[in-house]
C-alpha cells in the first residue's frame, strides 16, 4: 500500500518540478536592424493567426507559440526569403487556417458561391410571392 501511495505521490509531484517555460525565441520580441526587412516581417506577422489565441495575429499575441513564429519569420526574412514563400511554408506546416488571407482553392468554391446561390434563391422566392399577391 505504501508503495502505491509513493508511486501516486511521485506521479502527482513530477509535473510540479517540470520547467514551465522555455526561454523566448531570440527574435520573438526584437526587431530586425534593417527597417525594410522589419516592415516585411511585420506585414506578414499581421496576416498570420496565432495558433494559441486564435483570435489574434501573431504580431499582437503574447503567447509563446506566437513568439516562436515571429522569431522564425524574422530569421527567414533576414536569410533572404520572400514573405509569400514563408506564408506557403507556414500554411504547409499548420494548414490553411493559419493565414488570415482566404485561399481560392477549388474545394472552397462552393463556400464562396453559397451566398450568391442563397441570394438568388431568396430573390426567386420573393418574386414568386409578389406575383401571387398581384394575381389575387
Amino acid at each position: 500500500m505504501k508503495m502505491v501511495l509513493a508511486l501516486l505521490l511521485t506521479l502527482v509531484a513530477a509535473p510540479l518540478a517540470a520547467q514551465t517555460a522555455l526561454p523566448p525565441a531570440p527574435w520573438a520580441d526584437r526587431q530586425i536592424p534593417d527597417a525594410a526587412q522589419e516592415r516585411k516581417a511585420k506585414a506578414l506577422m499581421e496576416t498570420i493567426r496565432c495558433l494559441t489565441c486564435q483570435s489574434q495575429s501573431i504580431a499582437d499575441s503574447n503567447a509563446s507559440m506566437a513568439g516562436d513564429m515571429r522569431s522564425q519569420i524574422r530569421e527567414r526574412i533576414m536569410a533572404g526569403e520572400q514573405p509569400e514563400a514563408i506564408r506557403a511554408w507556414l500554411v504547409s506546416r499548420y494548414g490553411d487556417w493559419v493565414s488570415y488571407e482566404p485561399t481560392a482553392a477549388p474545394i472552397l468554391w462552393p463556400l464562396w458561391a453559397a451566398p450568391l446561390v442563397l441570394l438568388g434563391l431568396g430573390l426567386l422566392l420573393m418574386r414568386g410571392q409578389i406575383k401571387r399577391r398581384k394575381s389575387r
Side-chain angles (χ1 to χ4, degrees):
M1 184 66 177
K2 286 184 181 183
M3 184 73 111
V4 172
L5 185 59
L7 180 62
L8 285 174
L9 186 59
T10 303
L11 289 174
V12 170
L16 297 175
Q19 184 176 354
T20 58
L22 296 172
W27 290 96
D29 298 316
R30 275 186 12 209
Q31 291 188 351
I32 300 173
D34 182 1
Q37 286 182 331
E38 180 62 28
R39 278 193 302 274
K40 282 184 188 179
K42 190 74 167 168
L44 178 59
M45 286 184 248
E46 289 172 355
T47 65
I48 301 297
R49 186 186 318 263
C50 175
L51 300 173
T52 305
C53 306
Q54 299 180 2
S55 62
Q56 291 180 312
S57 70
I58 61 170
D60 301 328
S61 175
N62 290 329
S64 61
M65 180 73 168
D68 291 342
M69 291 172 79
R70 284 193 306 268
S71 182
Q72 288 178 345
I73 287 173
R74 284 186 173 120
E75 288 170 7
R76 286 173 174 260
I77 292 280
M78 287 187 294
E81 251 184 275
Q82 293 301 313
E84 284 310 310
I86 299 169
R87 177 189 311 288
W89 173 74
L90 288 167
V91 167
S92 71
R93 186 169 185 182
Y94 299 111
D96 287 332
W97 185 82
V98 77
S99 177
Y100 277 122
E101 291 185 1
T103 61
I107 195 160
L108 297 177
W109 289 350
L111 180 65
W112 290 102
L116 297 174
V117 170
L118 291 173
L119 182 64
L121 286 173
L123 290 173
L124 285 174
L125 288 172
M126 194 167 74
R127 184 176 146 210
Q129 288 292 326
I130 292 171
K131 279 187 175 183
R132 270 192 234 132
R133 287 185 190 211
K134 282 185 178 180
S135 66
R136 288 183 187 173

